[in-house]
Amino acid sequence: MKTKALYTGSFDPLTNGHLDIITRASKLYDRLVIGVIVNPSKKSLFSLEEREEMIRGVTAGLPNVEVDHFSGLLADYVNAKEFNVVVRGLRGTSDFEYEIQMAQMNARLFRENVETVFLMTDPDCSFVSSSMIKEVHSLGGSVDGLIPEIILEYMNKKNKV
Ligand code: COA
């Protein structure tokens, strides 16, 4: 059976922590779709189109990785597109509390034979979040090594650095 996995998030913007999970997951599954969530209630720095474009640029070297977007319930998207696996990254115990709740709720909503699989985040990125990257960069701090070069270029344009 061919495995089709989904890795979701806001990716506003994608960080090296996300990229580490994407790279490792792409080796585990036949196809990996990066599903960018369209969440009108979460104010984002980058538009959906910009986030998708940035992710396509960063993952261009990974042939089995695709970029898509969805809105509404994650489980509805998973069931409609017939994913077998939902990949989540765990940065530490604080992520675990929220993730286990989400995985258990989703398990009730997924069709048969869909599993949530957790990968441990690269320890170098365990403290990284998109919000922290945006805050540090907007205040002139260095985010070198924490986001891919392509993303840094987009951020510099946004913040007119
Ligand atoms: N490295 C670095 N940062 C990471 C990371 C990693 N490996 N994994 C997560 N993060 C960061 C993200 O950048 C994000 O930062 P931010 O809050 O500053 O933007 C933060 O950790 C939280 O990430 P995540 O939990 O993936 O949140 P999200 O907003 O990016 O995505 C969804 C959340 C889309 C997975 C979730 O809201 C969802 O499924 N929504 C659909 C609605 C639904 O079905 N609800 C019912 C669920 S049971």
Side-chain angles (χ1 to χ4, degrees), residues 7-10 15 17-18 21 37 42 72-74 88 91 98-99 102 105-106 121 128-131:
Y7 181 53
T8 57
S10 306
T15 68
H18 296 126
I21 300 286
I37 186 153
K42 195 168 174 180
L73 259 192
L74 174 84
R88 300 288 297 162
R91 289 170 297 176
Y98 165 67
E99 292 293 339
M102 199 161 69
M105 176 60 83
N106 277 331
T121 298
V128 175
S129 71
S130 300
S131 305

Side-chain angles (χ1 to χ4, degrees), residues 37-101:
I37 186 153
V38 184
N39 185 353
S41 63
K42 195 168 174 180
K43 200 181 165 299
S44 56
L45 175 66
F46 293 100
S47 69
L48 173 66
E49 292 72 24
E50 287 171 321
R51 284 179 278 153
E52 288 191 281
E53 188 179 282
M54 287 189 281
I55 300 170
R56 283 202 182 91
V58 169
T59 59
L62 300 170
N64 62 338
V65 173
E66 301 154 43
V67 183
D68 191 15
H69 59 265
F70 74 101
S71 56
L73 259 192
L74 174 84
D76 286 344
Y77 177 62
V78 166
N79 295 341
K81 299 279 178 169
E82 300 191 342
F83 288 101
N84 319 102
V85 173
V86 173
V87 175
R88 300 288 297 162
L90 278 183
R91 289 170 297 176
T93 48
S94 57
D95 278 351
F96 181 77
E97 297 290 335
Y98 165 67
E99 292 293 339
I100 192 167
Q101 277 186 321

